[in-house]
Structure formats: structure tokens, C-alpha cells
Amino acid sequence: MTDDFYMKRALRLAKRGERWVSPNPMVGAVIVKDGRIIAEGRHRRFGGPHAEIEAINHAKEPIEGATIYVTLEPCCHYGKTPPCVEAIIDRRPARLVIGTVDPNPFVAGGGISALHCAEIETTVGIMGEACKELNERFFKFITTGIPFVTLKFAQTLDGRIATATHQSRWISSPDSRSFTHSLRSIHDAILVGAGTVMHDDPELTVRHVRGRNPMRIVVDSCLQLPLEAKVLKMQESAPTIIAANGRADPEKLKRLQDKGVETLIVDEDSKGRVDIKKLLVELGKRQVSSLLVEGGAAIITSFLKEKLADRLVIIVAPKILGRGIEAVAELGIKSMDDAIRLACRKVYRKGEDIVIDCRPVRQ
């Protein structure tokens, strides 16, 4: 079997931790000896054993002389767990095959250097792009301190996210709505504007799939949302942060705090609204490594205009509304040359809908 074969197996293992390991990366490990897989491991939960350690602990025979395949460079620092590289060196494998270097400043080649110093043969870059893509959310956060932002919305074929009377249930199919819950489960937080809360009163929780509830963020500059809104309930299992500006009513701030809802005062932008760039910085300080933005139109437009989206997931339903609420409002683009260009990663069906999964092309 080739190195690619075993690395693909490690990638599949790593992916299984997607809903549970954040803000850590997803990592998988496979140990091979004499052409046999003798152990496998993956990082299962944040704070739990790393993939390499789980694989080592599962091995039924000595690892000395074996080859260890791991999707991400082994850590070399003390965090929630001891350094993985020390445990690996102690077992004296013949070779380590690493998918990609860990960009974490506490690692960043340190694990590889330690392996070289221990005279363990090390190969780096096997299926490197796939390994980087797997952890794109972690890579963005660990290198910038700002969450990876996924912009998701469902629209009709003519680009509407609601009727002219703001009615939006349901544009997308049941399959697409289950898919949306899957997206929620793999992000640390979900963000909407106050308008979405007032018109739709969503819970913003994970219900149709297994996974953790994301932290709920509502951008509400002047604290307009009603105190009985669903997002203000279930604070123990799905905490909510209301992002407002300095003009927010102090009495309403206190009433929200009395309900166990955190309020975050963020500087205003040039239009007197919450500055979303500064909001992202504040969320990063709270270890929010990934953020799913679900709208409405003003929020979607702001993230696109400020070039803050790292990924777009657009669900297109085979429906036409005519007049209605546009998914994206005025961006100030006057020339086709200035249009936001997107690179499609995947296009596929969910029920009767089409899902377009793409990334902005940075120019």
C-alpha cells in the first residue's frame, strides 16, 4: 500500500471528530507495521487525547520500527495534554508521515524538528492540500485570532430570501434544513441580525442531527429584539451573546443580563451599526474559531462588502417569488470587473434544492 492510501484512512478518521474537537483541529493517525495496520486513533473531543496518543494506546504490539501516519504535525508543547512528539519518540517508530505542518505558533515545525533530532525519518506533505482543507477553520483562526466565517443562506431561483412581507418559511426543502443543522453543529457560533430574530423567531440550535449547539450571536445595535425571543432561552445548553453599540438602553441591557444573556458592547461603524470587524476580534478572544452567518440580508451584505466571508454555502430552491427580499443588497459595485468572484468547491443536490459550496477568490 502507498503513503496516500494510509493518509486517506487517517483523513477519514480525523473527519469523524468534526463536531466535537473545536477549537482544536481534527486529526487522525494510523500505525502500520510490516504492511499491517496495527492501530488507529483520532482526536475525539476537545481536551481529550490527541490522535497519535489514542493510536499508540490502541496498539497491541510494540510500535518500534513501525510507520505512523498523521494528518497534522504532532504537537511539541504542553496544553490540555502533554506533547505528542515526546510519546512518539519514546516508542521509536522507524518513520513518521505527516500530512501538513501545524501553523500553531507553539508548534509550527517544532514537532518535526524534534523528530529529526531523534533521528526518526520524517516525510511531510503527503496529501498536504487535503489535510489543510480538512482544517481550514482551525488554520484561519490559529493564524489570525479571527473566526473562520461561513456565510450560508437559502434563496429562490430569482435570488430572494423572503417574500415582500418577510415570510421565508420555507424556501428550502426538509433535506436542506437538516443540512443547515449539520452546518450549525460544526461551527462554534452562529450569527444573525436582529431583523431575522424579530421576523422568524428562530431557536438557532442543532436539532435534526447529533452535535453540539453553537453559541448564538445576535447583532442588535440598539437592542430591539423582544425579551421573549427564543434565542434568549436555553442559555445553559446554547448561550447567547447580544452584540450592541454604546447607545443601547441600559435598562434593557440589565434585563437581558438578568436572564443570563451576555451583552457585548462593540464600537460603531461609519453608519452607526455594530462594527462587525471588531465583533469578530472579540469573538476570537472568546475562542470562537468558526462562525456560521445565517442572515438576514443586511448582515449577509455587510460580511460580503467587508470581505469577511471565508466560505459561502448557498442553497438555491427551484422557486420564483418575483418581488421580495434580496439575499444580497447594494455592494457598491459599478463594474463587472469588480464583482466578487467565487471558486466553487462543490455543487450538489439536497432534496429538490441545489447547494453551491464556494470560496471567495481573493484578488
Side-chain angles (χ1 to χ4, degrees), residues 215-281:
M215 179 186 294
R216 301 175 292 186
I217 316 293
V218 181
V219 179
D220 186 10
S221 297
C222 298
L223 294 186
Q224 305 174 70
L225 69 159
L227 292 173
E228 62 273 13
K230 291 177 182 176
V231 291
L232 303 182
K233 301 173 182 177
M234 300 172 57
Q235 292 305 301
E236 290 185 2
S237 60
T240 301
I241 294 178
I242 308 297
N245 61 32
R247 294 181 285 110
D249 179 7
E251 176 59 29
K252 195 162 187 180
L253 281 172
K254 183 179 183 306
R255 293 178 69 184
L256 287 167
Q257 291 164 357
D258 289 344
K259 292 172 69 72
V261 177
E262 181 180 357
T263 53
L264 180 61
I265 302 301
V266 182
D267 291 341
E268 297 179 354
D269 62 16
S270 60
K271 295 185 178 179
R273 301 173 303 193
V274 167
D275 188 316
I276 55 176
K277 288 183 178 179
K278 293 182 178 178
L279 173 58
L280 290 181
V281 172

Side-chain angles (χ1 to χ4, degrees), residues 37-56:
I37 295 177
I38 64 169
E40 296 178 333
R42 61 185 171 92
H43 187 31
R44 294 175 179 270
R45 291 181 179 273
F46 176 68
H50 289 186
E52 306 93 314
I53 303 303
E54 181 172 273
I56 287 170

Side-chain angles (χ1 to χ4, degrees), residues 71-294:
T71 55
L72 188 68
E73 176 185 7
C75 64
C76 55
H77 66 293
Y78 282 87
K80 291 277 185 182
T81 59
C84 293
V85 73
E86 291 184 3
I88 292 170
I89 291 171
D90 286 345
R91 269 68 175 191
R92 304 306 305 172
R95 182 174 177 238
L96 216 75
V97 179
I98 298 169
T100 187
V101 175
D102 187 341
N104 186 339
F106 290 107
V107 185
I112 295 168
S113 294
L115 291 164
H116 284 316
C117 290
E119 299 184 343
I120 294 174
E121 181 185 346
T122 305
T123 302
V124 182
I126 300 299
M127 299 199 67
E129 288 305 312
C131 291
K132 290 176 184 176
E133 184 177 321
L134 175 74
N135 279 309
E136 62 179 340
R137 298 189 296 274
F138 168 76
F139 277 41
K140 162 74 181 296
F141 175 66
I142 205 67
T143 56
T144 66
I146 296 172
F148 181 95
V149 175
T150 300
L151 201 59
K152 171 265 162 187
F153 53 92
Q155 65 172 41
T156 59
L157 200 59
D158 54 343
R160 306 292 187 255
I161 59 172
T163 66
T165 58
H166 293 274
Q167 203 271 329
S168 62
R169 293 186 176 180
W170 292 103
I171 286 177
S172 58
S173 66
D175 286 343
S176 292
R177 295 198 290 276
S178 293
F179 169 63
T180 294
H181 283 248
S182 294
L183 280 177
R184 290 177 182 178
S185 74
I186 65 172
H187 287 79
D188 293 339
I190 179 172
L191 182 146
V192 297
T196 295
V197 174
M198 290 187 288
H199 289 300
D200 297 340
D201 196 20
E203 286 186 21
L204 303 180
T205 55
V206 174
R207 301 183 299 280
H208 300 316
V209 300
R210 289 183 64 246
R212 300 181 297 182
N213 284 325
M215 179 186 294
R216 301 175 292 186
I217 316 293
V218 181
V219 179
D220 186 10
S221 297
C222 298
L223 294 186
Q224 305 174 70
L225 69 159
L227 292 173
E228 62 273 13
K230 291 177 182 176
V231 291
L232 303 182
K233 301 173 182 177
M234 300 172 57
Q235 292 305 301
E236 290 185 2
S237 60
T240 301
I241 294 178
I242 308 297
N245 61 32
R247 294 181 285 110
D249 179 7
E251 176 59 29
K252 195 162 187 180
L253 281 172
K254 183 179 183 306
R255 293 178 69 184
L256 287 167
Q257 291 164 357
D258 289 344
K259 292 172 69 72
V261 177
E262 181 180 357
T263 53
L264 180 61
I265 302 301
V266 182
D267 291 341
E268 297 179 354
D269 62 16
S270 60
K271 295 185 178 179
R273 301 173 303 193
V274 167
D275 188 316
I276 55 176
K277 288 183 178 179
K278 293 182 178 178
L279 173 58
L280 290 181
V281 172
E282 291 300 320
L283 294 178
K285 291 177 182 178
R286 287 163 167 75
Q287 294 298 296
V288 174
S289 66
S290 58
L291 179 68
L292 178 64
V293 177
E294 286 200 14

Side-chain angles (χ1 to χ4, degrees), residues 56-77:
I56 287 170
N57 291 340
H58 286 171
K60 302 300 184 183
E61 59 185 273
I63 292 168
E64 184 175 358
T67 298
I68 300 178
Y69 293 84
V70 61
T71 55
L72 188 68
E73 176 185 7
C75 64
C76 55
H77 66 293

